[in-house]
Amino acid sequence: MNKIILIGNLTKDPESGSTQGGVNFTRFTIAVNRPFTNSAGERVADYFDIIAWRQLAERCAKYLFKGSKVGINGYVQRQQYEDRDGIKRTSFDVVAEEVEFLTPRSTVAGGGAQDGYTPNEPRQPISDMQPVDNDDLPF
């Protein structure tokens, strides 16, 4: 089984592109804090390279930015290649199957208004709500 779940923050803005076949992708790196500190009392982080494909890539490119907190559900993919000097190298990427945007909308540029939601918009007054009888609930 090849499954990975991570929660971390983007270290820089995502980079997008498309393959020669026209498939969209977005790459970004997240920093994930370890649950302990080092001997100097400093928090240690691990860095993971993430790649998202197709519609998920488009959403990531549109809504993520440096510092965004995300939850990633995906799998690890190993790549082997030769660098410019002919040396064989290996890299590991996390292929995102799901990305949960965890940064509050109020911190996103425009206050989240791009989704039609404004955090400070007036709420419906309680007096306008209809009472519900618990006996009518199906559970």
Side-chain angles (χ1 to χ4, degrees), residues 16-83:
S16 297
S18 60
T19 65
Q20 291 178 348
V23 179
N24 293 331
F25 66 87
T26 298
R27 290 185 165 279
F28 53 94
T29 301
I30 63 171
V32 178
N33 287 330
R34 292 184 182 177
F36 55 85
T37 57
N38 64 14
S39 59
E42 300 167 335
R43 181 67 68 177
V44 178
D46 293 300
Y47 298 88
F48 295 88
D49 294 325
I50 313 294
I51 186 165
W53 294 94
R54 298 175 180 77
Q55 290 85 4
L56 181 57
E58 292 171 15
R59 287 192 306 272
C60 289
K62 184 174 181 180
Y63 295 111
L64 295 180
F65 53 91
K66 180 180 179 180
S68 295
K69 182 178 275 303
V70 293
I72 305 290
N73 182 5
Y75 59 92
V76 178
Q77 181 175 306
R78 179 178 179 231
Q79 301 286 337
Q80 290 185 306
Y81 63 95
E82 279 190 25
D83 67 11

Side-chain angles (χ1 to χ4, degrees), residues 121-130:
E121 69 186 25
R123 302 284 184 204
Q124 181 180 11
I126 293 176
S127 61
D128 290 351
M129 295 185 181
Q130 300 294 321

Side-chain angles (χ1 to χ4, degrees), residues 92-110:
F92 293 89
D93 290 327
V94 174
V95 178
E97 294 177 304
E98 297 176 271
V99 176
E100 185 79 24
F101 303 127
L102 301 175
T103 299
R105 290 181 188 210
S106 60
T107 60
V108 175

